Amino acid sequence: MLSIQAEPAEIKRTGAHPYRPDPSAHDLTLFKQPRLGVALDGLLDEIRYRKDLADFEQNRAGIAAVILLANSLGVVSVQDIDQTVSEGWHSIYQLYRSSINRIVEYLGHEAGMIAGLEFKHGGFGPIHLSMEKEDDGYYLYLHTFLRYAQFDLLSLGLSLRRVIYSCLHYIIRDIGLGVMSDDLLETSIMYGEDFEIYKKYREKNPNYNKEELLILMVNDEYTVLSDFAESPEFVMERIDLFESILNEREKAKFGAILRIDEIRACVVNWRRSDRETYNNPWVRFIKQTIKVWKSVKDFGIVKNRERMLEDCEGAMNDAPIDYGYTIGVGFEWEDSVVDKVYRVMAQADETPMAKIKLQPVAISRTAERLTMIARARGLIRMAEIIQFGDEGE
């Protein structure tokens, strides 16, 4: 390494700062470009060029599918495609890279149109996309972050909270994004099996108190909780949690889930005879949910009830993408359960993910699926703003 030796007389003070340069200031090459004998920028450009070319040659079909998907969503025009094809492989590759970014921006804008473009959505991060090759073809991977919103629905009147609850279930069940805290509890490997065991023991022994159930379960070698026989405090803590959950089940507080036509009928009835409820801010969310339902009901993917989204089967430390959006309704136990599940996921470096197979014959349906996800995210974000205000991050 070249270095510059500085004599004391050559050093000049550059201001009234406490720090003074050392007379023997070595290795000032930190502030200079290294001399390699070749043009570094040109070398890096050549490396990038060769890497891009190799990627293009190996993944032509996937690259083409991503560009076609961007075209189906309206963010890449036929003219864009024609121009890049005439210019050669490098322009096509750049259009592919640009297409990924344009799709992400489009999905974010689609969600923002529903949630309200006038609000800040910085903390409500976007869905990230990437293309991967697998043995049976190319897949579009969707990545998001863990996010939990607990809405205070229990403080609302029964008719209003029942409709809101039904809308949230519609977003999760039919549009297909997110998970209710109640479902997170039952599907989590941390709670699900223990909870089911406790329910069965409680049903079989209705006259037992918690302490008696504890002894019975711990002594049963076939129960998962028997593994914690030496930690009765841990088991009792779980039993207390499960008791709280069983005392606050969603059906008991919200009733049966309403159909969309029943939800619309409720809104019409409020407008006619219950203006106080009709003027509640949550009614905007309900109306927007109905509007989204109208916008997607004719999609081919909806009519054919195609799932399309696949779990990643643990190949990339993933969790189902639905776990990225957990919705609470106001029960006391929700914070504890969601916090515990999310902590374990974070410690395991699990990312909420899903994938969609990229097939030319299914590009339009893939575009529909992504659009539905974007609109579902917009509805969830709108609900957050109604409940918590425009908190941005």
Side-chain angles (χ1 to χ4, degrees), residues 11-26 28 31:
I11 298 172
K12 297 181 180 179
R13 296 183 178 180
T14 55
H17 304 293
Y19 171 77
R20 293 290 181 265
D22 192 308
S24 57
H26 296 283
L28 295 182
F31 303 102

Side-chain angles (χ1 to χ4, degrees), residues 85-190:
V85 169
S86 66
E87 291 174 352
W89 78 266
H90 196 256
S91 291
I92 298 173
Y93 189 77
Q94 293 302 315
L95 180 60
Y96 152 69
R97 299 282 295 272
S98 173
S99 294
I100 292 285
N101 294 331
R102 294 185 197 183
I103 293 171
V104 171
E105 290 175 0
Y106 168 81
L107 298 178
H109 181 76
E110 192 77 8
M113 289 285 289
I114 292 172
L117 293 174
E118 70 274 20
F119 298 114
K120 297 177 182 178
H121 307 296
F124 198 75
I127 293 279
H128 296 280
L129 304 177
S130 62
M131 188 264 289
E132 303 288 342
K133 184 178 183 180
E134 298 188 8
D135 292 341
D136 61 340
Y138 291 91
Y139 286 83
L140 188 69
Y141 274 76
L142 289 69
H143 317 245
T144 189
F145 303 101
L146 298 173
R147 190 174 184 88
Y148 166 51
Q150 186 186 48
F151 304 121
D152 184 19
L153 301 188
L154 297 177
S155 65
L156 302 173
L158 176 59
S159 62
L160 180 58
R161 72 170 180 247
R162 184 185 182 193
V163 173
I164 297 168
Y165 179 75
S166 299
C167 287
L168 292 170
H169 264 273
Y170 168 75
I171 294 167
I172 290 172
R173 181 193 62 221
D174 291 358
I175 302 183
L177 185 70
V179 62
M180 301 296 289
S181 58
D182 206 49
D183 297 322
L184 181 68
L185 166 78
E186 297 190 1
T187 58
S188 168
I189 61 173
M190 297 178 55

